[in-house]
Amino acid sequence: MRWVTKQCAATALTISVLCAVTPSLTAVNVLAIEPLPARSHWTFMRAVLMAMATGGRGHNVTAYTPFASSSVVTAGVCNGGPSGCGYVEIPLRLDVPDKVALDVRTAVADFADQWRFVGIAVNKSLTACGRLDQMAAAGHFSRVQYDVVVVELVSSECSSRLSGVLGEVPLVYVFPSPIASWVEAKALGTSPGPSYASRLFARYATPDTLGRRLENAYGWTVMAALQWFHERGDDQAGYRKPSVTFVNTDPTVEKSVPVVQNMIGVGGVHLPPPEPIPSVSNF
């Protein structure tokens, strides 16, 4: 019961915040972009989009994703839903290599070293954004008047430009894990400090000694510098700040740190309802 209550609360919060950033009192058109071909990222984002489509008054969601389901699969999403509900998935690949079925050595080499990971993440973001910019310039997203843009924040704010091109509509970020420390400060304008909050890649939960605080501050600075270095050639004039950011985190499993008011933790919203434990007599 506790899990179900938490799930419903996260979904309701998703809808209420979306309604708060849109001035209309009716259902709105939502453009969603999943730039990375990473299945776990899409699983979380899809759950958020489903909640937007089927909760509250309902919204009309158009999702571009590398993992688009067929119209047969998505046709029943709005059955029994609110009158404004609409949901469709459209295949989209943005020249970013698949992150599916990676071997352990490659994953450890790329994702466990901050010197490698930040550059890889930023470069993938810029690659995806380059394709999005081309599509927007060609009028690909202009056939519908979108009221909100939802996009995964990977490791660069470059994806926020799309919301500006479409008329400076509200921007919603989705982050499929606890938000990366070097991204949070730049994208949201502030972040917890290294004196009390461990950065991503830290080998400890809390910097509770002077040595750990110094090492944490050093690592924090390195990652921020790496992001600046890899992002320095991009046109940042069109970067925009989000109205709200949904993050796959929950204080029951993550350390407690202060966050900005428009960063909402909806951890577990993508998990299916639990099933009863089978009877022992069935085995």
PDB file of all heavy atoms in Angstrom, residues 4 15 23 60 66 73 79-80 84 97 106 146 149 158 202 204 237 269:
ATOM      1  N   VAL A   4       2.193   1.832  -3.483  1.00  0.00           N
ATOM      2  CA  VAL A   4       1.155   2.318  -4.387  1.00  0.00           C
ATOM      3  C   VAL A   4       0.856   3.781  -4.110  1.00  0.00           C
ATOM      4  O   VAL A   4       0.686   4.598  -5.020  1.00  0.00           O
ATOM      5  CB  VAL A   4      -0.120   1.461  -4.246  1.00  0.00           C
ATOM      6  CG1 VAL A   4      -1.247   2.061  -5.069  1.00  0.00           C
ATOM      7  CG2 VAL A   4       0.148   0.030  -4.679  1.00  0.00           C
ATOM      8  N   ILE A  15       1.594  15.732 -12.843  1.00  0.00           N
ATOM      9  CA  ILE A  15       0.515  16.429 -13.536  1.00  0.00           C
ATOM     10  C   ILE A  15       0.328  17.831 -12.989  1.00  0.00           C
ATOM     11  O   ILE A  15       0.183  18.799 -13.736  1.00  0.00           O
ATOM     12  CB  ILE A  15      -0.800  15.639 -13.408  1.00  0.00           C
ATOM     13  CG1 ILE A  15      -0.625  14.230 -13.979  1.00  0.00           C
ATOM     14  CG2 ILE A  15      -1.928  16.351 -14.128  1.00  0.00           C
ATOM     15  CD1 ILE A  15      -0.130  14.193 -15.394  1.00  0.00           C
ATOM     16  N   PRO A  23      -0.064  28.133 -18.920  1.00  0.00           N
ATOM     17  CA  PRO A  23      -1.116  29.066 -18.555  1.00  0.00           C
ATOM     18  C   PRO A  23      -2.513  28.608 -18.956  1.00  0.00           C
ATOM     19  O   PRO A  23      -3.494  29.076 -18.422  1.00  0.00           O
ATOM     20  CB  PRO A  23      -0.719  30.339 -19.318  1.00  0.00           C
ATOM     21  CG  PRO A  23       0.088  29.848 -20.479  1.00  0.00           C
ATOM     22  CD  PRO A  23       0.812  28.638 -19.984  1.00  0.00           C
ATOM     23  N   ASN A  60      -2.002  16.176 -24.656  1.00  0.00           N
ATOM     24  CA  ASN A  60      -1.714  15.538 -25.938  1.00  0.00           C
ATOM     25  C   ASN A  60      -0.200  15.466 -26.126  1.00  0.00           C
ATOM     26  O   ASN A  60       0.444  16.473 -26.418  1.00  0.00           O
ATOM     27  CB  ASN A  60      -2.367  16.329 -27.071  1.00  0.00           C
ATOM     28  CG  ASN A  60      -2.181  15.656 -28.413  1.00  0.00           C
ATOM     29  OD1 ASN A  60      -2.107  14.434 -28.500  1.00  0.00           O
ATOM     30  ND2 ASN A  60      -2.081  16.453 -29.461  1.00  0.00           N
ATOM     31  N   PRO A  66      14.150   6.947 -29.751  1.00  0.00           N
ATOM     32  CA  PRO A  66      14.766   5.833 -30.487  1.00  0.00           C
ATOM     33  C   PRO A  66      14.050   4.507 -30.257  1.00  0.00           C
ATOM     34  O   PRO A  66      14.297   3.545 -30.978  1.00  0.00           O
ATOM     35  CB  PRO A  66      16.193   5.779 -29.912  1.00  0.00           C
ATOM     36  CG  PRO A  66      16.409   7.097 -29.252  1.00  0.00           C
ATOM     37  CD  PRO A  66      15.069   7.535 -28.770  1.00  0.00           C
ATOM     38  N   VAL A  73       0.509  -0.584 -30.216  1.00  0.00           N
ATOM     39  CA  VAL A  73       0.840  -0.659 -28.792  1.00  0.00           C
ATOM     40  C   VAL A  73       0.346   0.574 -28.047  1.00  0.00           C
ATOM     41  O   VAL A  73      -0.178   0.481 -26.934  1.00  0.00           O
ATOM     42  CB  VAL A  73       2.365  -0.821 -28.608  1.00  0.00           C
ATOM     43  CG1 VAL A  73       2.739  -0.762 -27.130  1.00  0.00           C
ATOM     44  CG2 VAL A  73       2.832  -2.129 -29.225  1.00  0.00           C
ATOM     45  N   ASN A  79      -7.351   4.924 -23.467  1.00  0.00           N
ATOM     46  CA  ASN A  79      -8.644   4.282 -23.235  1.00  0.00           C
ATOM     47  C   ASN A  79      -9.085   4.498 -21.792  1.00  0.00           C
ATOM     48  O   ASN A  79      -8.382   4.131 -20.848  1.00  0.00           O
ATOM     49  CB  ASN A  79      -8.557   2.782 -23.524  1.00  0.00           C
ATOM     50  CG  ASN A  79      -8.450   2.492 -25.011  1.00  0.00           C
ATOM     51  OD1 ASN A  79      -8.648   3.382 -25.840  1.00  0.00           O
ATOM     52  ND2 ASN A  79      -8.129   1.257 -25.358  1.00  0.00           N
ATOM     53  N   GLY A  80     -10.235   5.103 -21.629  1.00  0.00           N
ATOM     54  CA  GLY A  80     -10.728   5.388 -20.291  1.00  0.00           C
ATOM     55  C   GLY A  80     -10.066   6.582 -19.640  1.00  0.00           C
ATOM     56  O   GLY A  80     -10.328   6.882 -18.473  1.00  0.00           O
ATOM     57  N   GLY A  84      -8.755  15.123 -22.686  1.00  0.00           N
ATOM     58  CA  GLY A  84      -7.627  15.754 -23.365  1.00  0.00           C
ATOM     59  C   GLY A  84      -6.484  14.819 -23.678  1.00  0.00           C
ATOM     60  O   GLY A  84      -5.484  15.228 -24.272  1.00  0.00           O
ATOM     61  N   PRO A  97      25.376   6.923 -30.984  1.00  0.00           N
ATOM     62  CA  PRO A  97      25.469   5.455 -30.951  1.00  0.00           C
ATOM     63  C   PRO A  97      24.618   4.855 -29.840  1.00  0.00           C
ATOM     64  O   PRO A  97      24.443   5.457 -28.779  1.00  0.00           O
ATOM     65  CB  PRO A  97      26.967   5.204 -30.701  1.00  0.00           C
ATOM     66  CG  PRO A  97      27.651   6.461 -31.133  1.00  0.00           C
ATOM     67  CD  PRO A  97      26.694   7.573 -30.854  1.00  0.00           C
ATOM     68  N   THR A 106      33.796  -1.961 -21.300  1.00  0.00           N
ATOM     69  CA  THR A 106      33.516  -0.683 -21.956  1.00  0.00           C
ATOM     70  C   THR A 106      32.744   0.244 -21.031  1.00  0.00           C
ATOM     71  O   THR A 106      33.041   1.440 -20.933  1.00  0.00           O
ATOM     72  CB  THR A 106      32.706  -0.907 -23.244  1.00  0.00           C
ATOM     73  OG1 THR A 106      33.461  -1.725 -24.135  1.00  0.00           O
ATOM     74  CG2 THR A 106      32.388   0.422 -23.923  1.00  0.00           C
ATOM     75  N   TYR A 146       2.984  23.586 -30.319  1.00  0.00           N
ATOM     76  CA  TYR A 146       3.293  22.954 -29.043  1.00  0.00           C
ATOM     77  C   TYR A 146       3.305  23.992 -27.927  1.00  0.00           C
ATOM     78  O   TYR A 146       3.756  25.126 -28.112  1.00  0.00           O
ATOM     79  CB  TYR A 146       4.638  22.233 -29.111  1.00  0.00           C
ATOM     80  CG  TYR A 146       4.608  21.002 -29.990  1.00  0.00           C
ATOM     81  CD1 TYR A 146       5.235  20.991 -31.237  1.00  0.00           C
ATOM     82  CD2 TYR A 146       3.934  19.856 -29.581  1.00  0.00           C
ATOM     83  CE1 TYR A 146       5.196  19.864 -32.050  1.00  0.00           C
ATOM     84  CE2 TYR A 146       3.888  18.724 -30.389  1.00  0.00           C
ATOM     85  CZ  TYR A 146       4.521  18.739 -31.614  1.00  0.00           C
ATOM     86  OH  TYR A 146       4.473  17.620 -32.411  1.00  0.00           O
ATOM     87  N   VAL A 149       7.709  21.867 -24.039  1.00  0.00           N
ATOM     88  CA  VAL A 149       8.741  20.964 -24.543  1.00  0.00           C
ATOM     89  C   VAL A 149       9.318  20.189 -23.365  1.00  0.00           C
ATOM     90  O   VAL A 149       9.734  20.781 -22.361  1.00  0.00           O
ATOM     91  CB  VAL A 149       9.866  21.728 -25.271  1.00  0.00           C
ATOM     92  CG1 VAL A 149      11.039  20.797 -25.578  1.00  0.00           C
ATOM     93  CG2 VAL A 149       9.341  22.341 -26.563  1.00  0.00           C
ATOM     94  N   CYS A 158      22.129  22.448 -24.337  1.00  0.00           N
ATOM     95  CA  CYS A 158      21.876  22.748 -25.747  1.00  0.00           C
ATOM     96  C   CYS A 158      20.480  22.319 -26.189  1.00  0.00           C
ATOM     97  O   CYS A 158      19.880  22.936 -27.077  1.00  0.00           O
ATOM     98  CB  CYS A 158      22.937  22.104 -26.629  1.00  0.00           C
ATOM     99  SG  CYS A 158      23.027  20.298 -26.530  1.00  0.00           S
ATOM    100  N   ALA A 202      32.128  10.238  -6.445  1.00  0.00           N
ATOM    101  CA  ALA A 202      32.764  10.206  -5.129  1.00  0.00           C
ATOM    102  C   ALA A 202      32.700   8.788  -4.569  1.00  0.00           C
ATOM    103  O   ALA A 202      31.734   8.056  -4.799  1.00  0.00           O
ATOM    104  CB  ALA A 202      32.081  11.179  -4.180  1.00  0.00           C
ATOM    105  N   TYR A 204      32.484   8.029  -1.457  1.00  0.00           N
ATOM    106  CA  TYR A 204      31.913   8.110  -0.118  1.00  0.00           C
ATOM    107  C   TYR A 204      30.551   8.778  -0.223  1.00  0.00           C
ATOM    108  O   TYR A 204      30.282   9.549  -1.148  1.00  0.00           O
ATOM    109  CB  TYR A 204      32.834   8.911   0.809  1.00  0.00           C
ATOM    110  CG  TYR A 204      33.495  10.083   0.121  1.00  0.00           C
ATOM    111  CD1 TYR A 204      32.821  11.289  -0.077  1.00  0.00           C
ATOM    112  CD2 TYR A 204      34.789   9.965  -0.384  1.00  0.00           C
ATOM    113  CE1 TYR A 204      33.411  12.343  -0.738  1.00  0.00           C
ATOM    114  CE2 TYR A 204      35.391  11.017  -1.055  1.00  0.00           C
ATOM    115  CZ  TYR A 204      34.697  12.211  -1.226  1.00  0.00           C
ATOM    116  OH  TYR A 204      35.287  13.252  -1.894  1.00  0.00           O
ATOM    117  N   ALA A 237      23.930  31.146 -26.557  1.00  0.00           N
ATOM    118  CA  ALA A 237      23.027  32.293 -26.447  1.00  0.00           C
ATOM    119  C   ALA A 237      21.568  31.851 -26.354  1.00  0.00           C
ATOM    120  O   ALA A 237      20.746  32.531 -25.734  1.00  0.00           O
ATOM    121  CB  ALA A 237      23.214  33.227 -27.639  1.00  0.00           C
ATOM    122  N   VAL A 269       8.486   6.289 -10.402  1.00  0.00           N
ATOM    123  CA  VAL A 269       7.269   6.471 -11.195  1.00  0.00           C
ATOM    124  C   VAL A 269       7.218   5.495 -12.369  1.00  0.00           C
ATOM    125  O   VAL A 269       6.142   5.190 -12.894  1.00  0.00           O
ATOM    126  CB  VAL A 269       7.174   7.932 -11.695  1.00  0.00           C
ATOM    127  CG1 VAL A 269       8.204   8.210 -12.772  1.00  0.00           C
ATOM    128  CG2 VAL A 269       5.775   8.254 -12.198  1.00  0.00           C
TER     129      VAL A 269
END
